[in-house]
Amino acid sequence: RLLKGVGREYNVAWLWRESLKWHPDRWVKFLADDFIEGKRVVTEIFVIMKELAEEMREQEGVEREKK
């Protein structure tokens, strides 16, 4: 378990889904070309969420399903 809150446990699957919500490609249409700071923040959030999911996966010994 990574975090526990409001009656819901956060796990690898949840972290992975959340990281996809912050994928930079998803935000291209929302951010103006000159809004560099926004792109940087979105990319950082994506990387952090992805790294948390990978770290948790390694700790639990869970392998991501290959599609």
Side-chain angles (χ1 to χ4, degrees):
R1 289 180 229 166
L2 181 63
L3 298 172
K4 191 174 183 180
V6 194
R8 180 169 125 181
E9 292 185 23
Y10 297 93
N11 56 27
V12 174
W14 181 85
L15 285 168
W16 188 254
R17 285 191 308 272
E18 287 299 307
S19 75
L20 294 178
K21 290 180 185 178
W22 289 98
H23 194 285
D25 290 345
R26 181 181 171 108
W27 289 87
V28 169
K29 60 185 173 189
F30 299 112
L31 300 173
D33 290 336
D34 59 345
F35 192 50
I36 304 298
E37 182 67 12
K39 292 177 183 178
R40 185 186 64 77
V41 169
V42 166
T43 301
E44 286 180 11
I45 293 171
F46 170 72
V47 169
I48 290 168
M49 297 295 285
K50 187 176 173 186
E51 287 176 357
L52 285 171
E54 291 295 328
E55 183 178 316
M56 189 174 193
R57 184 176 289 116
E58 288 173 7
Q59 288 176 357
E60 293 181 355
V62 177
E63 290 186 26
R64 192 168 99 209
E65 295 178 10
K66 296 183 181 184
K67 295 180 179 183

